[in-house]
Amino acid sequence: MRNRLGFKKTICIVLLLALLTGCRFVSDFSVETLQNSGEEAGPATLGLTPAFDYEVPESLPNILVDQVGYELGSNKIAVIRGELPPDNFTIYEAESGQKVYEGKIEQKGYDETIGNYISYGDFTDFNTPGSYYIEAAMIGQSYPFEISEEPYEELFRAVLKQYYYNRCGLTLSTELAGAKAHNACHSREAQMKEEASVKRDVSGGWHIDEMGTRDVVKGCQTVNYLLLSYELYPDIFEEDLKIPESGNGIPDVLDEVKYEIDWLLKMQDATSGAVYASVNSVDNKTAGYILYIDGVTMSATIQFAATMARFSYIYQNYDRMFATQCLKAADRAYRYAEKYLADVSMEEYFHAATELYRATGNQRYHSVIKNYLTQNPEPDMDNDFVFWGCVTYLATKQKVDVSLSSAVIQILMHKGEQISFASKESKLLVKADEKQSNHAVLLKDMSRLAVVDHIITNHEYATVMENHMHYMLGRNLQAVSYLDGAGDRSYKDIDESLGIMNQVDLNAKLVLMLSAVMDDEMVVGEE
């Protein structure tokens, strides 16, 4: 059990059972030639042979569950779609088919956003570990799922290790990467896009797409979410991810982040402090692939400053010398960006100031923070830079403006209430769109709710985050798991772009939500 209150959440990998729905099945059949049957021959066919090789439309279950599972003692709800559901549902043990539980179906009505009639099958009070499926008359069966004590651990490791698989410029061994092993890639020097004769070593970092692109802004955003997860829930990150650095006395998540940080440092111009935007790979028929470094941007420079300062503050407990190097790089980038403030958004500037203020205590940064919050009394928590900056300001041990901090807390609390209310208004218990594809919005909302829940430990917020995990793992109208290797039916069956783990920035938000869900371990009814 972890130290904080909240709901205890669950996820565990299970085996696929055959799908059964309330639709009638079409039996196999064959067409035989009539020979001496005594029957009158039919009309002439002009020698054409009828074809029956049509594709049978896919039939999805109408009982939607988290295809991975539910944790002992947690809220357990199956979502049932259909205008006229039966009165009862039954849970069967997966292997034996033995009936183990029966419950009432509660109709919730029509949800205009998703265009479906929705009902619930609540089996919260069923807490026997095992593998099961749900069945209801005229509706059919659900996919199988498990009820177990601590099934989130394996999934959490898989989500975190995705960054190791995305490493560029490193040979991934079969021992550590399995089927994803490969030789080092993109390790040659890259040339400046605007001046091909100038080359530099920019190996390392994380790929953000199949072309091997590495991007400073997206890398910084990803690191910020991973570091926020670690700061809020450090005990969750004790897992051995089986990466090359495992066992070195440093949490593996920080080792993984440092791999990206090492690359980010290579993207800074040592003289000016400016930061180049990205590295791209282009195939050349005669020379092979060519690496190009895109030019300096203010967005890359100021976000680099913020991320380096944040990493420095956290990493000083493990390697003070390297942390100091990162902090100096952050300060150089910040000073460069200040020369071109017309090209820097005030939100990014505010965020960088909060990180540097926490790391140094320098009042020049505090002045920027106070000016921004004074001029923006209702900061936009949907903006990542504002969100990160506000959370860092609340977490700093430096002197703060109490009135401004109190106002920020109130804005955060209000945001949490808005998210919670909108989620509960949806019959799916998640504010999903009709196509079930707005993952970026949902994960961003859950990152805000995770912070608010960390501050006040709200039982209701923990339930909302748990419902979002169930949604991501199959309790959605597509009946798919949006996470690789989790559940029986994958997003790949309908749309490759819906995957979460293969998008480094979305995956980092998923890490934060999973951390909050795992930390909120409290069985139903506890206070």
Side-chain angles (χ1 to χ4, degrees):
M1 292 291 289
R2 302 244 168 29
N3 293 330
R4 299 182 61 247
L5 294 177
F7 263 80
K8 195 173 185 180
K9 314 299 192 291
T10 303
I11 301 180
C12 177
I13 306 301
V14 297
L15 299 175
L16 175 64
L17 296 179
L19 170 65
L20 173 64
T21 72
C23 303
R24 283 181 283 177
F25 292 93
V26 180
S27 302
D28 293 336
F29 65 96
S30 61
V31 179
E32 299 179 356
T33 303
L34 296 176
Q35 294 182 341
N36 301 321
S37 64
E39 296 182 17
E40 184 177 346
T45 65
L46 301 180
L48 299 177
T49 302
F52 298 95
D53 58 345
Y54 60 88
E55 185 175 333
V56 178
E58 184 178 21
S59 183
L60 298 178
N62 288 317
I63 302 179
L64 307 171
V65 296
D66 181 327
Q67 294 170 26
V68 175
Y70 301 83
E71 190 161 3
L72 288 172
S74 69
N75 281 343
K76 294 180 282 294
I77 293 176
V79 170
I80 300 168
R81 56 182 168 186
E83 185 173 359
L84 297 172
D87 293 331
N88 303 309
F89 70 94
T90 304
I91 298 179
Y92 294 91
E93 202 277 325
E95 184 173 354
S96 68
Q98 180 182 357
K99 175 181 175 180
V100 295
Y101 182 88
E102 185 171 273
K104 296 288 185 181
I105 292 178
E106 179 184 2
Q107 296 189 42
K108 290 295 179 179
Y110 187 75
D111 191 314
E112 292 185 358
T113 301
I114 59 176
N116 272 257
Y117 286 92
I118 297 295
S119 302
Y120 296 162
D122 191 330
F123 54 105
T124 297
D125 58 342
F126 180 63
N127 284 297
T128 303
S131 184
Y132 307 97
Y133 64 87
I134 298 174
E135 185 174 295
M138 304 301 294
I139 295 291
Q141 291 180 355
S142 72
Y143 280 114
F145 60 89
E146 284 199 359
I147 295 176
S148 57
E149 188 172 356
E150 291 186 357
Y152 258 176
E153 313 300 333
E154 183 177 349
L155 178 62
F156 188 60
R157 283 194 296 271
V159 171
L160 276 176
K161 194 165 182 178
Q162 189 65 33
Y163 294 100
Y164 171 68
Y165 301 138
N166 285 348
R167 287 188 185 188
C168 183
L170 178 74
T171 296
L172 304 190
S173 68
T174 303
E175 179 185 4
L176 297 180
K180 297 182 180 180
H182 62 73
N183 292 327
C185 58
H186 305 119
S187 53
R188 66 176 65 172
E189 284 191 326
Q191 64 188 47
M192 302 303 299
K193 191 172 184 179
E194 304 299 331
E195 194 173 353
S197 62
V198 178
K199 300 178 185 292
R200 60 190 294 154
D201 172 24
V202 287
S203 59
W206 298 319
H207 293 153
I208 65 169
D209 57 30
E210 293 180 353
M211 297 299 295
T213 304
R214 284 154 289 157
D215 184 89
V216 168
V217 168
K218 188 160 285 191
C220 287
Q221 292 171 347
T222 300
V223 167
N224 287 333
Y225 271 113
L226 291 176
L227 292 180
L228 177 57
S229 303
Y230 175 74
E231 282 196 81
L232 295 180
Y233 309 104
D235 292 344
I236 302 296
F237 293 91
E238 297 174 351
E239 306 294 344
D240 177 357
L241 298 180
K242 292 182 172 53
I243 60 176
E245 299 84 355
S246 293
N248 64 357
I250 300 173
D252 281 359
V253 66
L254 295 185
D255 284 323
E256 192 57 67
V257 166
K258 184 178 181 296
Y259 192 83
E260 179 75 357
I261 292 293
D262 287 336
W263 173 74
L264 287 172
L265 286 170
K266 294 180 179 181
M267 295 295 286
Q268 184 177 40
D269 180 74
T271 302
S272 67
V275 178
Y276 301 106
S278 61
V279 180
N280 297 280
S281 174
V282 178
D283 287 328
N284 184 294
K285 292 183 179 179
T286 58
Y289 72 84
I290 299 176
L291 293 177
Y292 292 98
I293 303 173
D294 283 319
V296 167
T297 68
M298 288 304 101
S299 189
T301 301
I302 196 66
Q303 290 190 46
F304 172 97
T307 302
M308 282 294 168
R310 186 182 198 104
F311 178 78
S312 170
Y313 178 80
I314 296 172
Y315 205 69
Q316 62 182 321
N317 294 324
Y318 300 98
D319 186 337
R320 184 172 292 274
M321 185 176 296
F322 185 73
T324 301
Q325 178 187 344
C326 292
L327 185 57
K328 290 179 178 179
D331 184 65
R332 288 199 304 273
Y334 186 88
R335 290 176 183 273
Y336 182 86
E338 280 192 310
K339 299 175 183 178
Y340 305 94
L341 278 183
D343 298 321
V344 176
S345 78
M346 288 300 98
E347 290 75 19
E348 292 173 302
Y349 188 44
F350 163 71
H351 175 219
T354 63
E355 301 296 352
L356 280 159
Y357 179 57
R358 182 170 67 156
T360 68
N362 192 315
Q363 288 301 311
R364 64 190 292 262
Y365 303 124
H366 198 199
S367 296
V368 175
I369 297 169
K370 289 188 291 185
N371 286 339
Y372 180 82
L373 292 177
T374 299
Q375 294 172 17
N376 297 273
E378 296 185 3
D380 179 12
M381 291 301 168
D382 284 329
N383 183 293
D384 274 343
F385 308 113
V386 174
F387 170 66
W388 292 325
C390 286
V391 172
T392 295
Y393 191 56
L394 294 178
T396 184
K397 296 178 181 178
Q398 308 291 352
K399 182 179 179 180
V400 299
D401 185 302
V402 176
S403 61
L404 291 177
S405 296
S406 298
V408 166
I409 290 176
Q410 291 304 311
I411 295 294
L412 269 172
M413 296 300 150
H414 180 63
K415 184 63 179 178
E417 280 297 303
Q418 286 181 318
I419 293 170
S420 179
F421 179 78
S423 300
K424 291 186 295 182
E425 281 291 291
S426 170
K427 303 296 189 297
L428 280 180
L429 302 173
V430 169
K431 193 181 179 182
D433 61 11
E434 185 176 5
K435 294 183 179 180
Q436 312 282 275
S437 60
N438 60 331
H439 305 332
V441 173
L442 297 178
L443 288 168
K444 178 180 282 190
D445 283 348
M446 291 305 100
S447 69
R448 277 54 176 172
L449 202 60
V451 169
V452 176
D453 180 59
H454 180 81
I455 294 172
I456 64 174
T457 314
N458 188 300
H459 184 97
E460 178 182 298
Y461 296 164
T463 302
V464 172
M465 287 186 287
E466 182 182 47
N467 285 331
H468 279 71
M469 280 309 308
H470 294 322
Y471 171 86
M472 299 292 180
L473 290 165
R475 206 174 68 185
N476 54 70
L477 297 184
Q478 303 276 22
V480 297
S481 168
Y482 296 113
L483 276 61
D484 292 305
D488 299 311
R489 175 174 157 80
S490 170
Y491 68 92
K492 296 178 182 178
D493 294 332
I494 56 172
D495 188 346
E496 286 273 359
S497 69
L498 295 178
I500 294 173
M501 291 170 61
N502 55 10
Q503 301 181 61
V504 294
D505 50 343
L506 289 190
N507 194 60
K509 296 183 182 74
L510 176 64
V511 168
L512 178 54
M513 184 172 77
L514 259 172
S515 301
V517 166
M518 293 174 66
D519 190 73
D520 274 314
E521 291 190 340
M522 183 180 81
V523 298
V524 176
E526 282 189 1
E527 296 295 338

